[in-house]
Amino acid sequence: MNNIQEIKDYVVEITEGNSTKEEKLQQICDYLASKISYYDWVGFYFRNGDKEELKLAQFNGEPTEHTIIPFGKGICGQVAVSNKNFVVQDVSEQDNYISCGWKVKSEIVIPIFVDGKNIGQIDIDSHTVNPFTEADEELLEFVCKKVSAFV
């Protein structure tokens, strides 16, 4: 992975800027996808009102038909229930996986908390098997903490 501190510093610049919430989320998606070669799809999902489902917000990558994900379904839906990071180094080994395309080989999902409540998540798909490290988790937890300040 590139210089994590450099990436964190730029994420701070984005989150502290004067853009709208939607623009900030899109800038983060675009930036992470451009800086980390194995981040092939970067997106945010948020709880859809009072419903037990997630709704796709901003993303960078190929369009997905999975714009609504029920809690408990797939990796994202499981994180909405567990409130824990979920790193899948090989999606073919997961029973409860929603395929976003044949190219996707691995996925990492990190929840976003506001006042201790899971309100959404960042979702990263990679076309590479086993790309994610603790550094990815650390970086994405940092991103989620910064996002929680303005969503």
Side-chain angles (χ1 to χ4, degrees):
M1 179 184 293
N2 297 335
N3 182 334
I4 271 194
Q5 193 55 52
E6 175 187 309
I7 295 171
K8 286 180 176 180
D9 290 345
Y10 194 73
V11 167
V12 168
E13 279 185 45
I14 292 170
T15 60
E16 293 179 354
N18 291 326
S19 303
T20 65
K21 173 178 90 169
E22 292 78 12
E23 289 168 337
K24 289 177 184 180
L25 291 171
Q26 188 63 57
Q27 288 170 19
I28 291 169
C29 291
D30 295 345
Y31 180 68
L32 291 176
S34 73
K35 289 301 278 185
I36 302 172
S37 63
Y38 51 92
Y39 283 18
D40 296 300
W41 192 93
V42 179
F44 288 98
Y45 283 92
F46 291 98
R47 185 180 186 121
N48 190 11
D50 291 334
K51 298 177 184 173
E52 295 282 304
E53 65 186 22
L54 297 164
K55 185 174 182 181
L56 179 62
Q58 285 65 35
F59 69 93
N60 177 296
E62 293 181 17
T64 176
E65 62 190 42
H66 304 290
T67 57
I68 300 290
I69 298 176
F71 282 16
K73 185 134 174 72
I75 308 308
C76 291
Q78 290 177 76
V79 169
V81 173
S82 74
N83 299 322
K84 294 184 174 142
N85 298 355
F86 201 158
V87 181
V88 180
Q89 298 289 11
D90 184 349
V91 296
S92 70
E93 297 176 358
Q94 279 295 314
D95 291 334
N96 188 0
Y97 171 70
I98 300 172
S99 176
C100 289
W102 63 271
K103 294 179 192 172
V104 178
K105 305 292 186 223
S106 56
E107 183 173 8
I108 184 171
V109 178
I110 309 293
I112 301 168
F113 295 99
V114 173
D115 298 327
K117 186 176 179 186
N118 182 346
I119 56 101
Q121 54 200 225
I122 190 168
D123 178 19
I124 313 286
D125 291 343
S126 179
H127 298 165
T128 306
V129 173
N130 201 30
F132 303 117
T133 67
E134 287 181 18
D136 292 288
E137 277 193 85
E138 177 196 327
L139 172 63
L140 296 172
E141 286 171 355
F142 176 86
V143 169
C144 289
K145 187 173 182 187
K146 291 299 173 189
V147 165
S148 73
F150 69 83
V151 292

